[in-house]
Amino acid sequence: MATASGRLDNFTDAAFAFAVSLLIIGGGAAPASTEALFLALGDLPAFAFGFAIITMFWIAHVRWRSMRGDGDGSSMALTLLLVFLILIYVQPLRSMAAATSHWFTGQGSGFNGAVAPLFTVYGIGFTLMGLTTAALFADALRNPALDAQGRAVARGDRNIWLVHVATGLLSVAVSLTRFGEMAALVYATLPLTIGLVAWRHDWTGGRGDG
């Protein structure tokens, strides 16, 4: 018989898979002309971007589960919150991915609207998703079965997701200025900031809790 955590994980996986399906190229309708086909193919970069973001959060949840084990009521609540947010977040993600892809490549259907408010909405969603994921890794620290190295890894992952949160907040702040259309560039700093945090963190647990 499946455990409660196993059934919850199956539900979570299904929710993430459904979110990916909402990113479908071309809006779900078969292209009726060559021009429509090439326009749909132009959405490939946007689809790839959205797919990568959703997969990033899903992998984080899988990684958290390996640390937390079955968990408890708080673990379940955080997972359900993550599912709730991804099903809302996928729509601004789809629009933001299309707008960003069109901006960089000039391909695809783009986004027919004001870009700065779009980045505001997207940034809020990204921040909330990142904060929930950071809370999951903080919750993993409550697992008494974790050894020193496991706790160090959980703290490291928590800190990395807090970097995502800070980046999302900064992007929202930029989107509310006269340079709002540049908000997408803030996310380009993530490889650098995450790399710095990962480099400075003690992943072995030799320095004790922190």
Side-chain angles (χ1 to χ4, degrees):
M1 181 179 295
T3 63
S5 61
R7 296 182 65 181
L8 180 61
D9 289 344
N10 290 337
F11 174 70
T12 303
D13 292 345
F16 273 88
F18 178 70
V20 168
S21 73
L22 294 179
L23 297 173
I24 189 167
I25 296 172
S33 65
T34 302
E35 291 77 9
L37 173 62
F38 281 110
L39 181 62
L41 290 176
D43 285 334
L44 272 171
F47 174 80
F49 182 84
F51 179 82
I53 295 296
I54 291 177
T55 301
M56 177 180 71
F57 284 106
W58 175 75
I59 290 175
H61 184 268
V62 173
R63 183 174 171 85
W64 162 79
R65 176 61 74 190
S66 69
M67 300 177 186
R68 186 62 176 104
D70 289 338
D72 53 19
S74 297
S75 307
M76 179 181 295
L78 286 170
T79 293
L80 291 176
L81 177 59
L82 187 69
V83 169
F84 175 77
L85 289 172
I86 192 60
L87 294 177
I88 297 175
Y89 171 73
V90 65
Q91 291 302 339
L93 170 61
R94 180 178 180 179
S95 297
M96 196 281 290
T100 303
S101 176
H102 189 75
W103 185 40
F104 280 113
T105 68
Q107 302 295 316
S109 54
F111 176 74
N112 298 319
V115 175
L118 169 62
F119 287 142
T120 302
V121 174
Y122 171 82
I124 292 172
F126 185 88
T127 300
L128 291 175
M129 288 282 293
L131 189 60
T132 302
T133 306
L136 282 170
F137 285 108
D139 174 73
L141 292 170
R142 298 170 52 231
N143 182 3
L146 280 183
D147 58 15
Q149 183 173 5
R151 295 178 65 81
V153 172
R155 291 195 305 272
D157 284 352
R158 177 202 61 192
N159 294 344
I160 285 174
W161 280 100
L162 288 176
V163 171
H164 286 80
V165 172
T167 303
L169 289 173
L170 179 59
S171 176
V172 170
V174 172
S175 73
L176 296 174
T177 70
R178 57 183 294 188
F179 306 105
E181 294 186 357
M182 306 296 290
L185 297 178
V186 175
Y187 298 98
T189 65
L190 278 171
L192 177 62
T193 53
I194 289 175
L196 181 61
V197 169
W199 174 63
R200 291 183 58 85
H201 183 70
D202 172 27
W203 296 94
T204 66
R207 302 175 192 167
D209 283 349

